[in-house]
Structure formats: C-alpha cells, structure tokens
Amino acid sequence: MKNALYLGSVESFHVYATLRELMQKPRSELPRVLNASHATSIVVGIIIGSGIFLVPREMMAAVGSSRGVYAVWIVGGLLSLFGAMTYAEIAAAHPRYGGEYAFLREAYGDLAGFLYMWTQITVAKPSSLATIAAGLARVLGTFAIFNFFSHPAFAHLSWGQVFAIVVTWLIAGLNIIGTRKSANVQLMLTWLKGLLILVIAGFCFGAAGQHGSWHNFATDFAGARGGFTGFMIALVAALWAYDGWSDVVTMAGEVERPQRSMPLALVGGVAIVGALYMLTNAAIQYVLPATTIAMADRPAADAMRVVAGQWGDKLVSIGMAVSICATFVGSSLSGARVPFAAARDGLFFKQLAHVSRRFQTPSTALILQAVLSSLLLLFIGRFQALFSLAIFSEWLFYALTASTIFVFRRRESSASRPYNIWGYPLLPAFFILAAVVLLVFSFADQPRNSLIGTGIILLGIPLHFLLRQCHSS
C-alpha cells in the first residue's frame, strides 16, 4: 500500500512538473479560430481598398477606350483567379503558418523561404501598411472636420502623419488582443464596403437623362498611350487593384477546416471582387465619357458628384475610408504571420515566435511590424517610390510560389489532395508566364526600382547564412 501511495505521489509529481514546464515554455502555436467566412472576408477586404475608386483613370489614360479597359479588367481578373486557384491547391494541402514563406521553404529549402520573409519584413509589408495609413489620412482629409491633417503638428510632422501612426498602433492593438476579434471587425467592414459599392453603383445607374448614357461606353480618349505598352500599364494598375488575394494563405494555420475553407476563400473571394470591380467600372462609365475619366483624379467621386452633388462625393469618400480600414485590418493581421513562422522554424530571431499567453496572438511580430511601419510614416513623406520597389519582388515571389505546385505534385504524387486546380498544368504555367512577362515589363519600365528591389532580396542571402551560423554556434 505504501509502495502504491509512493508510486502514485511520484507519478503525480511528474505530471505536475510536466504541466508546469509546459506552462512556462513559450508557446508557438496559434489556435484555429477563423472560419470560411472570416477567410473570405480577409481576401475581399484586403483586395478592395481605394484602387477601384482611382485606377479607372490610369486604365483609361493608358488604353483609351471602354473596350480596352474591360479587356484589362478581365485579363487582370483571370490572372488573379488563376493565381488564387493555384494557391488554393497548395494551401489546402499544406495549411501552414506563413503561407508563401512555408510553401517556398518546403519546396526549395530554407534560403528560398528566408528570402521571401526578408523581402516581406523589410520592404513589402511595412511600406504597404504605411501607404494604407497615409491613404486613410488623405481620404479623411477631404472632410472639413479633418482639414487640420495638412497642418504641421510638431517638428517636420503633419497632423495627418500623426493620425496615420496612431491608427497603425490602434489596428496593431486590435490584432494583438484577438485574432477572431480582428476577423469579426474585418467581416463587418467587408460587408459594409460591399454595400457601399452597391449603393454607389445603384445611384450611377439610376441616373436618368443628362446624368447618364449608354453612349459613354462607345467614347474614346484620343490622348491614350495605346498599344502593348498602354495595355501593360493598365494591366499593372488593374493587378494593383486586385493585389492582396494571397495574404490569407499566411493564416492557413489558423483557419478551421483549411482543406475546404482556403479554396472557398481564395477562389470565391477573387470572383466576388472581380464582379464588384466590373460593376463599379461600368457605373462610372455610364455617367462619365472616356475623356472625363482619363482626366479625373477621382473618377468615382466625380461620377457621384454629377449624379448626387456634393453629398455623392462625400459618400464615395466614406466608401474609400471604409475600404481602406478593412484593407488595413486584414493586411496587418496577415503580415505578422510571416516573420512569426520563420522565427518558429529557427530561421529568424526566436523572440518573434512569441505567442501572447493571454490573447494567443503573435504579439511580438505584430509590434515589430507596427514599429517598422511607423518609422516609414515618421521619416518618409512619399511612399509611392518605396511601394513600387515591392511590386517587382511581389510578382517574382508570386511566380516562384506558384511553381511549387509542380514540386509538390511530383513529390507527393500518391497523396490525396483536398482541392485540385482545374486545367493543371496549363493554368499554373500560364500564371507563371504572365508573372514573368510582367516582371520583364516592370524591369524595362522602372529599371532603377527593380534593381533596388533585386538588391534588397539578394542582401538576404548573406544575412541568412550569418543568422544560421549564429544559431548553430
């Protein structure tokens, strides 16, 4: 009896010690708290920002006709859909933290994954978030109550920059206190922005007589760039408007039933966005002729001003603000998962793999992301040049990530796949080819920015080996 009691007490002690060790050990697992609706809202919410309200001007100025604009929207939408379908197969079979980072690492090794993470953390994500924050400040600055945003606050900072930094930290705080809370906010904002787009389109199509005409679809802009160059310039603008569909794969490790939810979110989300974009573009063209669109800074606002006066302009501004907020929440939420995943795998500073005990979120990675974005907002006035550095690297990694489907198909030929892309191998190959064409065009059109982007990527090679040597010593 004594032996039994002794063994029982020893066993209890070991259980207690094990539990205590687990409690004290930093956890690097994130709970699966997102459903298919959350994942889809992240796709739709991130993609639809301010682009649809602005890029019709760039596209019309480049191609010069409604036919050309719709051709670009269709090609850009199909390319994005082919990419989303390719990513859907990969993500459904490999629902990992970090998305593209994890796919590249599994297919091509640690260096490929590290270079993607390095590019994201140094250029792509901080500059993207800083641009979104500054864009929100500019949109709100059109309202009389926020006119002071253009006034100096202290030192070289304007109140608009101060506001952008505050919003950056507020959204980072929201993402820290709960992934599902952030996703619920994202879902609400996405529904709201969809409703606003439908209302704006309804007002434009409801315009009668002098305010709208189907004849506008037959008008042309004589000063358009035209030709292949014009088409590619417009396609870059369209792809910028569609950009962001891939961000949700970084959160595949936190999505319930990812084998089903990820394909639904990626393919369904891009399809929803494509339909809303075509509708919005048609509404603008119904009210404005081609030349007016090509000369307008804010075509959607100009169309609504024609239809409904100044309050119509304000409605578009409200729609842009809501869209930008939804993009901000989703982009910030997904971006921190890449350095978190790399740190978790031992390829980056281990502190970034920290998971908040209270909130079960990658709090350290989210804080780092907010710090880098805030530094850009503090010290750089214009973000267009910095953001253009990311375009080259983004499409380079799109092509590389899409190519992993061929590696996984060959390596896991006997494994069952939850989702199979239709048209394999033609659709993934076409997407990769289109990405390569876009890369070549971007390099020829902006050689300086493309070279700088390439240099930043290559700088990650010695850093990877240096960090690996430090970790092994």
Side-chain angles (χ1 to χ4, degrees), residues 119-152:
T119 306
Q120 281 290 107
I121 199 173
T122 55
V123 177
K125 189 55 67 172
S127 61
S128 176
L129 292 176
T131 306
I132 293 169
L136 179 60
R138 284 195 294 269
V139 169
L140 292 179
T142 62
F143 293 93
I145 192 174
F146 297 116
N147 279 342
F148 68 94
F149 277 3
S150 60
H151 301 162

mmCIF file of all heavy atoms in Angstrom, residues 119-152:
data_model
loop_
_atom_site.group_PDB
_atom_site.id
_atom_site.type_symbol
_atom_site.label_atom_id
_atom_site.label_comp_id
_atom_site.label_asym_id
_atom_site.label_seq_id
_atom_site.Cartn_x
_atom_site.Cartn_y
_atom_site.Cartn_z
ATOM 1 N N THR A 119 12.207 39.879 -47.670
ATOM 2 C CA THR A 119 11.620 40.888 -48.546
ATOM 3 C C THR A 119 10.334 41.445 -47.959
ATOM 4 O O THR A 119 10.076 42.656 -48.007
ATOM 5 C CB THR A 119 11.346 40.289 -49.934
ATOM 6 O OG1 THR A 119 12.545 39.702 -50.436
ATOM 7 C CG2 THR A 119 10.869 41.359 -50.902
ATOM 8 N N GLN A 120 9.513 40.556 -47.395
ATOM 9 C CA GLN A 120 8.257 40.990 -46.796
ATOM 10 C C GLN A 120 8.478 41.923 -45.617
ATOM 11 O O GLN A 120 7.823 42.959 -45.494
ATOM 12 C CB GLN A 120 7.457 39.771 -46.322
ATOM 13 C CG GLN A 120 6.728 39.037 -47.424
ATOM 14 C CD GLN A 120 5.572 39.849 -47.972
ATOM 15 O OE1 GLN A 120 5.624 40.371 -49.081
ATOM 16 N NE2 GLN A 120 4.518 39.953 -47.198
ATOM 17 N N ILE A 121 9.413 41.567 -44.750
ATOM 18 C CA ILE A 121 9.568 42.316 -43.497
ATOM 19 C C ILE A 121 10.317 43.629 -43.705
ATOM 20 O O ILE A 121 10.134 44.581 -42.945
ATOM 21 C CB ILE A 121 10.280 41.446 -42.434
ATOM 22 C CG1 ILE A 121 10.019 42.007 -41.031
ATOM 23 C CG2 ILE A 121 11.771 41.350 -42.683
ATOM 24 C CD1 ILE A 121 10.528 41.120 -39.921
ATOM 25 N N THR A 122 11.146 43.722 -44.753
ATOM 26 C CA THR A 122 11.930 44.938 -44.955
ATOM 27 C C THR A 122 11.275 45.933 -45.897
ATOM 28 O O THR A 122 11.409 47.149 -45.713
ATOM 29 C CB THR A 122 13.329 44.606 -45.510
ATOM 30 O OG1 THR A 122 13.188 43.816 -46.707
ATOM 31 C CG2 THR A 122 14.156 43.846 -44.483
ATOM 32 N N VAL A 123 10.587 45.440 -46.926
ATOM 33 C CA VAL A 123 10.046 46.339 -47.941
ATOM 34 C C VAL A 123 8.531 46.223 -48.076
ATOM 35 O O VAL A 123 7.788 47.181 -47.852
ATOM 36 C CB VAL A 123 10.701 46.079 -49.324
ATOM 37 C CG1 VAL A 123 10.071 46.981 -50.380
ATOM 38 C CG2 VAL A 123 12.188 46.312 -49.259
ATOM 39 N N ALA A 124 8.075 45.012 -48.442
ATOM 40 C CA ALA A 124 6.694 44.865 -48.910
ATOM 41 C C ALA A 124 5.663 45.244 -47.861
ATOM 42 O O ALA A 124 4.822 46.121 -48.093
ATOM 43 C CB ALA A 124 6.469 43.433 -49.405
ATOM 44 N N LYS A 125 5.696 44.604 -46.702
ATOM 45 C CA LYS A 125 4.618 44.807 -45.736
ATOM 46 C C LYS A 125 4.695 46.154 -45.018
ATOM 47 O O LYS A 125 3.675 46.856 -44.934
ATOM 48 C CB LYS A 125 4.595 43.654 -44.736
ATOM 49 C CG LYS A 125 3.375 43.659 -43.818
ATOM 50 C CD LYS A 125 2.064 43.691 -44.601
ATOM 51 C CE LYS A 125 1.792 42.454 -45.382
ATOM 52 N NZ LYS A 125 0.428 42.446 -45.977
ATOM 53 N N PRO A 126 5.849 46.587 -44.487
ATOM 54 C CA PRO A 126 5.864 47.901 -43.826
ATOM 55 C C PRO A 126 5.494 49.048 -44.754
ATOM 56 O O PRO A 126 4.740 49.943 -44.370
ATOM 57 C CB PRO A 126 7.317 48.031 -43.339
ATOM 58 C CG PRO A 126 7.803 46.635 -43.199
ATOM 59 C CD PRO A 126 7.135 45.884 -44.314
ATOM 60 N N SER A 127 6.008 49.020 -45.997
ATOM 61 C CA SER A 127 5.678 50.105 -46.929
ATOM 62 C C SER A 127 4.210 50.051 -47.331
ATOM 63 O O SER A 127 3.566 51.081 -47.509
ATOM 64 C CB SER A 127 6.575 50.032 -48.169
ATOM 65 O OG SER A 127 6.393 48.821 -48.859
ATOM 66 N N SER A 128 3.678 48.826 -47.457
ATOM 67 C CA SER A 128 2.261 48.689 -47.781
ATOM 68 C C SER A 128 1.383 49.257 -46.670
ATOM 69 O O SER A 128 0.450 50.029 -46.928
ATOM 70 C CB SER A 128 1.922 47.214 -48.017
ATOM 71 O OG SER A 128 0.540 47.038 -48.234
ATOM 72 N N LEU A 129 1.677 48.894 -45.417
ATOM 73 C CA LEU A 129 0.876 49.390 -44.294
ATOM 74 C C LEU A 129 1.020 50.904 -44.126
ATOM 75 O O LEU A 129 0.050 51.600 -43.808
ATOM 76 C CB LEU A 129 1.295 48.676 -43.001
ATOM 77 C CG LEU A 129 0.960 47.182 -42.931
ATOM 78 C CD1 LEU A 129 1.510 46.571 -41.647
ATOM 79 C CD2 LEU A 129 -0.546 46.957 -43.019
ATOM 80 N N ALA A 130 2.236 51.407 -44.330
ATOM 81 C CA ALA A 130 2.440 52.850 -44.226
ATOM 82 C C ALA A 130 1.651 53.594 -45.300
ATOM 83 O O ALA A 130 1.054 54.645 -45.040
ATOM 84 C CB ALA A 130 3.934 53.175 -44.340
ATOM 85 N N THR A 131 1.630 53.023 -46.517
ATOM 86 C CA THR A 131 0.879 53.640 -47.602
ATOM 87 C C THR A 131 -0.615 53.617 -47.318
ATOM 88 O O THR A 131 -1.334 54.593 -47.586
ATOM 89 C CB THR A 131 1.168 52.906 -48.927
ATOM 90 O OG1 THR A 131 2.576 52.871 -49.138
ATOM 91 C CG2 THR A 131 0.500 53.603 -50.098
ATOM 92 N N ILE A 132 -1.106 52.506 -46.779
ATOM 93 C CA ILE A 132 -2.524 52.405 -46.429
ATOM 94 C C ILE A 132 -2.891 53.440 -45.371
ATOM 95 O O ILE A 132 -3.921 54.121 -45.471
ATOM 96 C CB ILE A 132 -2.848 50.987 -45.921
ATOM 97 C CG1 ILE A 132 -2.699 49.969 -47.055
ATOM 98 C CG2 ILE A 132 -4.270 50.918 -45.361
ATOM 99 C CD1 ILE A 132 -2.729 48.523 -46.587
ATOM 100 N N ALA A 133 -2.047 53.570 -44.345
ATOM 101 C CA ALA A 133 -2.313 54.536 -43.272
ATOM 102 C C ALA A 133 -2.319 55.960 -43.809
ATOM 103 O O ALA A 133 -3.198 56.770 -43.472
ATOM 104 C CB ALA A 133 -1.265 54.387 -42.172
ATOM 105 N N ALA A 134 -1.335 56.287 -44.653
ATOM 106 C CA ALA A 134 -1.274 57.632 -45.233
ATOM 107 C C ALA A 134 -2.462 57.873 -46.157
ATOM 108 O O ALA A 134 -3.006 58.981 -46.204
ATOM 109 C CB ALA A 134 0.039 57.810 -45.991
ATOM 110 N N GLY A 135 -2.871 56.833 -46.884
ATOM 111 C CA GLY A 135 -4.034 56.952 -47.761
ATOM 112 C C GLY A 135 -5.303 57.228 -46.984
ATOM 113 O O GLY A 135 -6.136 58.037 -47.406
ATOM 114 N N LEU A 136 -5.466 56.574 -45.831
ATOM 115 C CA LEU A 136 -6.636 56.828 -44.983
ATOM 116 C C LEU A 136 -6.645 58.276 -44.501
ATOM 117 O O LEU A 136 -7.697 58.934 -44.492
ATOM 118 C CB LEU A 136 -6.632 55.867 -43.796
ATOM 119 C CG LEU A 136 -7.785 56.018 -42.797
ATOM 120 C CD1 LEU A 136 -9.126 55.789 -43.485
ATOM 121 C CD2 LEU A 136 -7.609 55.061 -41.623
ATOM 122 N N ALA A 137 -5.475 58.783 -44.118
ATOM 123 C CA ALA A 137 -5.386 60.169 -43.665
ATOM 124 C C ALA A 137 -5.745 61.137 -44.788
ATOM 125 O O ALA A 137 -6.439 62.141 -44.565
ATOM 126 C CB ALA A 137 -3.977 60.461 -43.143
ATOM 127 N N ARG A 138 -5.305 60.828 -46.012
ATOM 128 C CA ARG A 138 -5.605 61.711 -47.147
ATOM 129 C C ARG A 138 -7.097 61.714 -47.472
ATOM 130 O O ARG A 138 -7.674 62.751 -47.775
ATOM 131 C CB ARG A 138 -4.790 61.288 -48.377
ATOM 132 C CG ARG A 138 -3.331 61.692 -48.318
ATOM 133 C CD ARG A 138 -2.684 61.584 -49.684
ATOM 134 N NE ARG A 138 -2.616 60.202 -50.139
ATOM 135 C CZ ARG A 138 -1.593 59.394 -49.908
ATOM 136 N NH1 ARG A 138 -0.564 59.822 -49.190
ATOM 137 N NH2 ARG A 138 -1.597 58.164 -50.376
ATOM 138 N N VAL A 139 -7.717 60.529 -47.423
ATOM 139 C CA VAL A 139 -9.150 60.455 -47.719
ATOM 140 C C VAL A 139 -9.955 61.209 -46.666
ATOM 141 O O VAL A 139 -10.847 61.995 -46.990
ATOM 142 C CB VAL A 139 -9.604 58.978 -47.791
ATOM 143 C CG1 VAL A 139 -11.132 58.897 -47.838
ATOM 144 C CG2 VAL A 139 -9.016 58.307 -49.020
ATOM 145 N N LEU A 140 -9.643 60.986 -45.401
ATOM 146 C CA LEU A 140 -10.361 61.690 -44.339
ATOM 147 C C LEU A 140 -10.091 63.188 -44.383
ATOM 148 O O LEU A 140 -10.931 63.995 -43.965
ATOM 149 C CB LEU A 140 -9.969 61.123 -42.972
ATOM 150 C CG LEU A 140 -10.439 59.688 -42.683
ATOM 151 C CD1 LEU A 140 -9.951 59.241 -41.308
ATOM 152 C CD2 LEU A 140 -11.963 59.571 -42.764
ATOM 153 N N GLY A 141 -8.919 63.575 -44.900
ATOM 154 C CA GLY A 141 -8.574 64.988 -45.015
ATOM 155 C C GLY A 141 -9.465 65.751 -45.963
ATOM 156 O O GLY A 141 -9.475 66.996 -45.948
ATOM 157 N N THR A 142 -10.247 65.032 -46.806
ATOM 158 C CA THR A 142 -11.176 65.719 -47.705
ATOM 159 C C THR A 142 -12.418 66.212 -46.978
ATOM 160 O O THR A 142 -13.178 67.014 -47.535
ATOM 161 C CB THR A 142 -11.606 64.775 -48.856
ATOM 162 O OG1 THR A 142 -12.297 63.642 -48.305
ATOM 163 C CG2 THR A 142 -10.400 64.296 -49.646
ATOM 164 N N PHE A 143 -12.652 65.728 -45.753
ATOM 165 C CA PHE A 143 -13.778 66.204 -44.952
ATOM 166 C C PHE A 143 -13.349 67.446 -44.177
ATOM 167 O O PHE A 143 -12.210 67.521 -43.676
ATOM 168 C CB PHE A 143 -14.242 65.127 -43.978
ATOM 169 C CG PHE A 143 -14.859 63.918 -44.647
ATOM 170 C CD1 PHE A 143 -14.076 62.816 -44.959
ATOM 171 C CD2 PHE A 143 -16.198 63.903 -44.967
ATOM 172 C CE1 PHE A 143 -14.630 61.709 -45.566
ATOM 173 C CE2 PHE A 143 -16.771 62.799 -45.587
ATOM 174 C CZ PHE A 143 -15.978 61.698 -45.892
ATOM 175 N N ALA A 144 -14.250 68.402 -44.060
ATOM 176 C CA ALA A 144 -13.926 69.679 -43.412
ATOM 177 C C ALA A 144 -13.434 69.497 -41.986
ATOM 178 O O ALA A 144 -12.532 70.209 -41.529
ATOM 179 C CB ALA A 144 -15.157 70.592 -43.432
ATOM 180 N N ILE A 145 -13.993 68.519 -41.266
ATOM 181 C CA ILE A 145 -13.620 68.319 -39.868
ATOM 182 C C ILE A 145 -12.175 67.878 -39.710
ATOM 183 O O ILE A 145 -11.558 68.049 -38.661
ATOM 184 C CB ILE A 145 -14.586 67.294 -39.214
ATOM 185 C CG1 ILE A 145 -14.404 67.305 -37.694
ATOM 186 C CG2 ILE A 145 -14.351 65.893 -39.776
ATOM 187 C CD1 ILE A 145 -15.416 66.434 -36.973
ATOM 188 N N PHE A 146 -11.609 67.297 -40.790
ATOM 189 C CA PHE A 146 -10.229 66.813 -40.739
ATOM 190 C C PHE A 146 -9.281 67.673 -41.571
ATOM 191 O O PHE A 146 -8.193 67.214 -41.938
ATOM 192 C CB PHE A 146 -10.153 65.362 -41.211
ATOM 193 C CG PHE A 146 -10.913 64.391 -40.351
ATOM 194 C CD1 PHE A 146 -11.998 63.690 -40.862
ATOM 195 C CD2 PHE A 146 -10.525 64.172 -39.031
ATOM 196 C CE1 PHE A 146 -12.695 62.790 -40.070
ATOM 197 C CE2 PHE A 146 -11.211 63.277 -38.237
ATOM 198 C CZ PHE A 146 -12.305 62.588 -38.749
ATOM 199 N N ASN A 147 -9.662 68.892 -41.867
ATOM 200 C CA ASN A 147 -8.794 69.763 -42.667
ATOM 201 C C ASN A 147 -7.439 70.006 -42.013
ATOM 202 O O ASN A 147 -6.442 70.270 -42.694
ATOM 203 C CB ASN A 147 -9.481 71.113 -42.915
ATOM 204 C CG ASN A 147 -10.484 71.039 -44.058
ATOM 205 O OD1 ASN A 147 -10.441 70.123 -44.867
ATOM 206 N ND2 ASN A 147 -11.387 72.002 -44.123
ATOM 207 N N PHE A 148 -7.400 69.903 -40.684
ATOM 208 C CA PHE A 148 -6.147 70.181 -39.967
ATOM 209 C C PHE A 148 -5.084 69.114 -40.224
ATOM 210 O O PHE A 148 -3.920 69.288 -39.820
ATOM 211 C CB PHE A 148 -6.419 70.287 -38.461
ATOM 212 C CG PHE A 148 -6.824 69.003 -37.804
ATOM 213 C CD1 PHE A 148 -5.873 68.191 -37.192
ATOM 214 C CD2 PHE A 148 -8.153 68.595 -37.792
ATOM 215 C CE1 PHE A 148 -6.239 67.007 -36.582
ATOM 216 C CE2 PHE A 148 -8.531 67.420 -37.174
ATOM 217 C CZ PHE A 148 -7.577 66.614 -36.576
ATOM 218 N N PHE A 149 -5.436 68.007 -40.876
ATOM 219 C CA PHE A 149 -4.449 66.952 -41.146
ATOM 220 C C PHE A 149 -3.265 67.473 -41.958
ATOM 221 O O PHE A 149 -2.153 66.962 -41.838
ATOM 222 C CB PHE A 149 -5.111 65.790 -41.901
ATOM 223 C CG PHE A 149 -5.828 64.811 -41.001
ATOM 224 C CD1 PHE A 149 -5.917 65.026 -39.640
ATOM 225 C CD2 PHE A 149 -6.414 63.676 -41.536
ATOM 226 C CE1 PHE A 149 -6.583 64.134 -38.811
ATOM 227 C CE2 PHE A 149 -7.087 62.766 -40.729
ATOM 228 C CZ PHE A 149 -7.160 62.997 -39.360
ATOM 229 N N SER A 150 -3.499 68.483 -42.787
ATOM 230 C CA SER A 150 -2.419 69.028 -43.614
ATOM 231 C C SER A 150 -1.569 70.043 -42.857
ATOM 232 O O SER A 150 -0.514 70.457 -43.354
ATOM 233 C CB SER A 150 -2.998 69.683 -44.868
ATOM 234 O OG SER A 150 -3.887 70.740 -44.516
ATOM 235 N N HIS A 151 -1.973 70.419 -41.665
ATOM 236 C CA HIS A 151 -1.236 71.418 -40.884
ATOM 237 C C HIS A 151 -0.094 70.760 -40.122
ATOM 238 O O HIS A 151 -0.173 69.588 -39.740
ATOM 239 C CB HIS A 151 -2.176 72.121 -39.889
ATOM 240 C CG HIS A 151 -3.315 72.817 -40.545
ATOM 241 N ND1 HIS A 151 -4.463 73.195 -39.858
ATOM 242 C CD2 HIS A 151 -3.516 73.217 -41.832
ATOM 243 C CE1 HIS A 151 -5.296 73.784 -40.686
ATOM 244 N NE2 HIS A 151 -4.738 73.811 -41.887
ATOM 245 N N PRO A 152 0.988 71.497 -39.889
ATOM 246 C CA PRO A 152 2.114 70.934 -39.120
ATOM 247 C C PRO A 152 1.713 70.694 -37.665
ATOM 248 O O PRO A 152 1.005 71.499 -37.059
ATOM 249 C CB PRO A 152 3.193 72.002 -39.246
ATOM 250 C CG PRO A 152 2.467 73.274 -39.573
ATOM 251 C CD PRO A 152 1.259 72.867 -40.363
#
